[in-house]
C-alpha cells in the first residue's frame, strides 16, 4: 500500500491526515486516517521536520506500517544540491530506510535543481517538484505523473489537502 501524509496546524493543535491507496492510478482511497496532536513543536526556520515529523509518527501508528511500501509527503526530501535533509528524508530515516519516500512540492526551492525532477500534469504550465529517497528519482516522478486526475495536482493528493484542512466535528 501507499500512504500520502500531510499535517495542518491550528493555534495549539495539529491535524495529521493519511490517504491510503493500493496503486498509483487509483481514483479512490482505501482509507483516510486522521490524528490530532496537541501542542505541536513550534516552527523553527530550517527545522520544519521537528514540527511535522512527530505528527506523522503518531499518524502512522494507526496503520500496519509493514503493509506500506511507499510514503508520499507534502514537501521536499532534500532541500539543496548538497542533499541537506528535508522532511521526507527525516521520515525515511525514522523508518530505518525501509520505506521509500517521495516528496511532492507545489513551489520551487532555491539551490536544489540537481535533486529535483519537475513534472507537468494536465494542461498546467506550472510544475510539481518531485524528490525521493530509497527510490530512483525518475521512478518516483513517474509514479506521481501516473496518479489519477487530469489537473496539475493528482486527485488523491488534492483529497489529502482538502481532508487535512477540513474542520473536525
Amino acid at each position: 500500500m501507499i500512504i500520502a501524509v500531510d499535517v495542518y496546524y491550528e493555534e495549539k493543535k495539529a491535524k495529521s491526515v493519511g490517504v491510503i491507496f493500493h496503486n498509483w492510478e487509483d481514483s479512490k482511497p482505501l482509507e483516510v486516517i486522521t490524528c490530532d496532536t496537541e501542542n505541536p513543536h513550534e516552527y523553527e526556520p530550517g527545522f520544519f521536520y521537528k514540527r511535522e515529523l512527530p505528527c506523522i509518527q503518531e499518524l502512522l501508528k494507526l496503520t500496519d506500517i509493514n503493509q506500506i511500501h511507499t510514503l508520499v509527503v507534502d514537501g521536499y526530501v532534500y532541500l539543496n544540491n548538497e542533499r541537506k535533509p528535508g522532511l521526507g528524508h527525516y521520515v525515511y530515516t525514522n523508518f530505518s530506510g525501509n520505506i521509500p519516500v517521495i516528496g511532492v512540492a507545489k513551489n520551487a526551492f532555491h539551490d536544489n535543481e540537481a535533486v529535483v525532477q519537475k513534472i507537468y500534469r494536465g494542461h498546467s504550465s506550472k510544475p510539481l517538484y518531485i524528490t525521493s529517497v530509497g527510490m530512483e528519482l525518475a521512478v518516483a516522478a513517474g509514479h506521481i505523473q501516473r496518479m489519477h486526475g487530469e489537473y496539475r495536482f493528482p486527485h488523491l493528493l488534492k483529497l489529502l489537502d482538502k481532508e487535512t484542512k477540513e474542520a473536525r466535528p
Side-chain angles (χ1 to χ4, degrees), residues 43-151:
Y43 173 73
E44 283 181 62
F47 298 97
F48 178 65
Y49 75 93
K50 287 184 178 182
R51 185 173 204 205
E52 194 120 332
L53 182 60
C55 300
I56 293 171
Q57 289 169 324
E58 287 302 309
L59 177 72
L60 293 177
K61 288 178 183 177
L62 302 176
T63 68
D64 178 357
I65 200 67
N66 296 316
Q67 297 298 312
I68 304 295
H69 65 74
T70 308
L71 212 147
V72 179
V73 299
D74 179 17
Y76 283 96
V77 170
Y78 296 112
L79 300 179
N80 62 24
N81 292 331
E82 288 74 42
R83 295 185 181 266
K84 178 181 178 183
L87 173 64
H89 193 273
Y90 286 103
V91 170
Y92 179 72
T93 58
N94 181 75
F95 292 103
S96 304
N98 292 326
I99 303 172
V101 175
I102 300 173
V104 179
K106 296 176 214 130
N107 298 304
F109 201 74
H110 59 81
D111 193 35
N112 70 350
E113 302 81 18
V115 295
V116 170
Q117 185 165 332
K118 296 178 189 178
I119 64 168
Y120 295 86
R121 289 178 36 93
H123 299 291
S124 180
S125 60
K126 192 170 180 184
L128 291 174
Y129 302 89
I130 309 302
T131 52
S132 67
V133 61
M135 174 186 298
E136 288 184 34
L137 181 56
V139 172
H143 288 323
I144 303 303
Q145 185 75 54
R146 284 196 328 273
M147 287 184 77
H148 178 78
E150 59 185 87
Y151 300 107

